[in-house]
Amino acid sequence: MDLQIALLLGQDGIVNGAIYALLALALVLVFAVTRVIFIPQGEFVAYGALSLASLQAGLLPGTLWLLLVLGLVVTALDAPALMRQGRQGGRRLATLVGWQCAYPLALLGVVAGGTPQSWPLLLQVLLVLAIVVPLGPQIYRTAYQPIAEAPVLILLIVSVAVHLALVGLGLLFFGAEGSRTPAFSEASFEIGDLTVSGQSLWVVGASLFLIVALYVFFEKSLYGKALRATAINRNGARLMGISTTFAGKLSFLLAAAIGVLSGILIAPITTVYYDTGFLIGLKGFVGAIVGGLASYPVAAAGALLVGLLESFSSFWASAFKEVIVFTLIIPVLVWRSLTTHHVEEEE
Amino acid sequence: MSDHELEPILEVKDLCVSYGKVEALHHVSIKVRPGEIVTVIGPNGAGKTTLLSAIMGVLPFSRGEVAYQGEAQVHVDVERMVARGMTLVPEKRELFGEMSVEDNLLLGAFMRRRLGFRDEAETLDKVFGIFPRLKERRGQMAGTLSGGERQMLAVGRALMAQPKILMLDEPSLGLAPLIVREIFRVIGDLRKTGVAILLVEQNARAALQVSDYGYVLETGEVALEGPSDALEDDPKVVEAYLGLGGKKH
Ligand SMILES: Nc1ncnc2c1ncn2[C@@H]1O[C@H](COP(=O)(O)OP(=O)(O)OP(=O)(O)O)[C@@H](O)[C@H]1O
Ligand SMILES: [Mg+2]
């Protein structure tokens, strides 16, 4: 292997690693706040990429129907309690119906009535975010909120179920064929011997931007602090009026947004299929495990390592590249179990 | 002294709470009027913490009701109570250990912020005025504070919510006498701000001195109640909780 190939592989690894890092951060966030291991994270990647491809092909993305159906389910679940609460409940009921029923219908009108395939890319991306991201809190409400106090293992089993359901729906919505979307930028740059594509820069730049934005959110904003507080001390947070439900929905919203953006970023680089998300999410998960599902910077660094390992092993032993990446988890777990004290799971 | 004509801000009626099959509170009824300081004293394991947790909605109760601001409830929701001006300083304090003192305090105002108020900076200054020590240590992680400072932070964080009723579970727990006096001075001063206080204490003498009305809780039942002055002179209270010397001013 000469330097040029190494540089090329390194570039590839960093681009993929940036995406894995984003997903790893989302996984750590969701786990810290809700104790849910968010396996469906990958489905948001696929839904984001494929919804964008659908829009660009002039089709109605199936995710829009899911948004509407889940909206009706959430309304049915939450409305009875609010109707018993009098005047204040009435206002909250209006908000509920507005977001869960009127909002999906309005989006449906925009997509079916307008011609989003001819919109500029930025608007299309915003539309995809508007459609897919609210699925995050909806899924939290329907699948996790009723069992928010359950042990981690039960939450994990539910995650597997949600993942399988979403992959099945993905096949139904988008079919078995993969899609690729046009690049954000056709530019490419020569740096010495190395050619860097504009899309790679987009991925790395957007990932860095999102990581910084998340950092600022957690350090500076009250809602970010509220999420951290919930992760540190759930009982204390409840006494401040930060409800477990509020924190859960907010963390799922952020995780969904990160997943969808990741999908949109990689869609021009690789062909995304309805089940591609799982493997991508899993690599983010390996990164998150390196950080012990607790440390954001270590998780991000671990994910970057996963990306590099993957691209170099695809050169040396391409048949084994997934094996090599996932085997990384074993030394990491051994090392962690030797260096950290075992903490009993709180009830 | 408080005005006993006022409608109670908090009225607990006939409350029963069980842990599994064991009933820890049996038909407990108490009242707190606006601006009043009410204390609940009693031995270890009497059910004082259980009572505060049930009022706050942290713990479900099997019988009875909690009426807050005239609205009777048989199921209490913590977040809703916080939104309506009730704040609990729990026995375990439940601070956010890996966050700074200042962030802990700001989170105390979380619900007010959600309700649309934007006055946390002023409230923070007031709390720093009450506990100058917290101001000195605003950047320090809450987990590294001393016992007394943690207590101050817990009370300060509760005050950030600008509560209408503040429930304190043993604010003097494990503190040196000087700091105990400091904490009770703060409780006495809070009276002037008009907040109602429900105070649970082991330190019966100090609690009865600062309060208007008192309840003695024993094995999950109200054994005795009355104006604090009267309780301080009650032979049973003197013998069990105040020891020799009785009332002191
Ligand atoms: N989670 C629990 N499960 C079972 N029993 C409990 C639980 N919490 C408290 N109890 C029991 O309920 C009774 C009342 O406890 P509580 O903590 O309310 O007492 P307390 O008056 O606050 O005591 P202290 O002054 O020691 O704080 C005790 O007998 C205690 O052992
Ligand atoms: Mg107690």
Side-chain angles (χ1 to χ4, degrees):
Chain A
M1 171 159 60
D2 60 22
L3 183 68
Q4 196 173 358
I5 296 179
L7 282 175
L8 209 66
L9 292 175
Q11 183 197 343
D12 233 35
I14 288 173
V15 169
N16 288 334
I19 294 290
Y20 302 153
L22 281 179
L23 298 178
L25 293 182
L27 284 165
V28 173
L29 161 68
V30 168
F31 182 75
V33 175
T34 65
R35 299 173 305 126
V36 170
I37 294 182
F38 195 43
I39 303 175
Q41 174 77 63
E43 275 59 73
F44 282 93
V45 178
Y47 279 17
L50 294 171
S51 298
L52 182 62
S54 291
L55 279 182
Q56 291 176 342
L59 302 170
L60 193 78
T63 37
L64 199 43
W65 295 114
L66 185 60
L67 182 73
L68 182 60
V69 170
L70 282 177
L72 294 175
V73 172
V74 171
T75 308
L77 286 172
D78 281 343
L82 292 179
M83 286 198 286
R84 273 183 262 114
Q85 270 182 24
R87 192 154 42 86
Q88 202 207 356
R91 222 176 313 132
R92 290 174 58 191
L93 189 66
T95 318
L96 176 74
V97 173
W99 278 108
Q100 302 297 341
C101 305
Y103 173 76
L105 286 173
L107 281 181
L108 201 61
V110 168
V111 177
T115 49
Q117 70 264 38
S118 58
W119 290 5
L121 182 65
L122 181 65
L123 280 183
Q124 291 175 339
V125 168
L126 290 177
L127 185 59
V128 168
L129 284 169
I131 294 171
V132 187
V133 173
L135 294 175
Q138 285 180 334
I139 288 170
Y140 180 79
R141 173 63 191 92
T142 41
Y144 297 98
Q145 185 179 320
I147 52 161
E149 302 303 323
V152 171
L153 185 61
I154 305 284
L155 295 170
L156 174 63
I157 293 168
V158 170
S159 280
V160 173
V162 171
H163 155 68
L164 291 174
L166 289 181
V167 171
L169 287 172
L171 179 60
L172 180 71
F173 294 155
F174 305 109
E177 278 112 78
S179 302
R180 208 181 254 247
T181 58
F184 291 7
S185 127
E186 298 294 347
S188 66
F189 308 89
E190 305 280 333
I191 305 173
D193 286 342
L194 186 67
T195 314
V196 180
S197 75
Q199 187 64 28
S200 307
L201 288 181
W202 259 104
V203 172
V204 175
S207 304
L208 279 178
F209 172 79
L210 278 175
I211 288 171
V212 171
L214 277 177
Y215 176 81
V216 171
F217 173 73
F218 282 117
E219 287 298 317
K220 301 284 177 235
S221 82
L222 190 65
Y223 281 15
K225 286 173 187 170
L227 282 187
R228 269 167 64 211
T230 309
I232 293 170
N233 186 338
R234 189 176 289 270
N235 295 331
R238 283 190 75 198
L239 289 174
M240 304 298 104
I242 308 165
S243 77
T244 312
T245 302
F246 168 82
K249 282 184 185 161
L250 183 55
S251 59
F252 270 61
L253 184 87
L254 289 172
I258 291 171
V260 173
L261 283 170
S262 306
I264 291 171
L265 285 171
I266 58 159
I269 305 177
T270 65
T271 308
V272 177
Y273 298 86
Y274 72 98
D275 61 352
T276 304
F278 180 60
L279 219 53
I280 299 177
L282 216 51
K283 286 170 192 154
F285 182 70
V286 175
I289 287 288
V290 174
L293 277 177
S295 161
Y296 292 94
V298 182
L304 208 56
L305 177 70
V306 169
L308 288 168
L309 194 64
E310 178 189 40
S311 83
F312 280 92
S313 54
S314 70
F315 178 75
W316 282 315
S318 72
F320 295 107
K321 85 172 186 187
E322 313 289 8
V323 180
I324 292 172
V325 167
F326 291 121
T327 310
L328 177 66
I329 223 170
I330 295 173
V332 166
L333 286 181
V334 170
W335 172 69
R336 289 204 77 86
S337 72
L338 292 177
T339 54
T340 51
H341 303 284
H342 180 68
V343 189
E344 290 289 327
E345 188 195 324
E346 55 178 331
E347 337 142 48
Chain B
M1 283 287 109
S2 67
D3 182 353
H4 274 257
E5 302 309 305
L6 283 174
E7 279 299 303
I9 181 171
L10 174 70
E11 183 163 14
V12 175
K13 280 187 209 150
D14 219 19
L15 202 69
C16 299
V17 179
S18 306
Y19 293 107
K21 288 207 177 71
V22 188
E23 198 175 76
L25 282 187
H26 325 292
H27 306 280
V28 171
S29 300
I30 65 167
K31 268 185 207 160
V32 182
R33 292 190 166 76
E36 192 181 47
I37 302 182
V38 172
T39 187
V40 176
I41 56 176
N44 291 120
K48 304 181 297 293
T49 298
T50 306
L51 175 65
L52 294 193
S53 307
I55 295 172
M56 194 69 215
V58 181
L59 207 61
F61 44 89
S62 48
R63 273 197 60 169
E65 62 174 44
V66 171
Y68 177 61
Q69 293 179 325
E71 184 196 336
Q73 292 165 286
V74 289
H75 169 83
V76 181
D77 179 62
V78 188
E79 289 80 34
R80 194 144 174 266
M81 281 307 215
V82 176
R84 297 177 62 205
M86 179 181 278
T87 305
L88 169 67
V89 176
E91 192 170 28
K92 292 182 185 150
R93 306 302 172 236
E94 312 282 12
L95 298 174
F96 306 118
E98 290 107 80
M99 295 176 85
S100 69
V101 166
E102 185 165 346
D103 281 351
N104 269 269
L105 290 171
L106 287 175
L107 282 164
F110 176 80
M111 185 48 94
R112 276 186 77 73
R113 192 59 182 270
R114 273 205 91 182
L115 293 173
F117 295 95
R118 286 283 180 281
D119 52 1
E120 68 266 6
E122 292 141 51
T123 326
L124 190 66
D125 279 342
K126 274 189 211 142
V127 169
F128 282 154
I130 298 173
F131 298 112
R133 185 83 74 91
L134 293 181
K135 187 169 187 177
E136 288 163 28
R137 312 209 159 247
R138 62 202 293 172
Q140 191 174 333
M141 292 295 127
T144 63
L145 292 176
S146 78
E149 289 161 352
R150 294 170 59 84
Q151 229 75 318
M152 292 177 199
L153 180 55
V155 175
R157 187 179 66 170
L159 291 177
M160 288 297 293
Q162 303 199 14
K164 295 197 178 68
I165 180 164
L166 178 62
M167 303 200 290
L168 300 166
D169 198 342
E170 303 204 25
S172 72
L173 191 70
L175 297 184
L178 213 63
I179 304 184
V180 172
R181 219 181 302 152
E182 174 75 10
I183 291 269
F184 275 97
R185 183 187 59 75
V186 169
I187 294 172
D189 286 350
L190 284 177
R191 180 201 298 278
K192 292 176 207 134
T193 67
V195 57
I197 296 177
L198 180 57
L199 172 68
V200 158
E201 258 304 327
Q202 290 286 343
N203 190 335
R205 187 188 312 278
L208 287 174
Q209 270 171 20
V210 79
S211 62
D212 304 305
Y213 199 85
Y215 295 85
V216 178
L217 198 66
E218 283 172 3
T219 58
E221 278 168 290
V222 176
L224 211 59
E225 65 174 282
S228 300
D229 292 343
L231 284 183
E232 273 184 285
D233 294 326
D234 189 293
K236 277 180 281 182
V237 175
V238 171
E239 192 194 340
Y241 301 105
L242 302 178
L244 293 173
K247 186 171 175 176
K248 256 191 211 159
H249 281 291

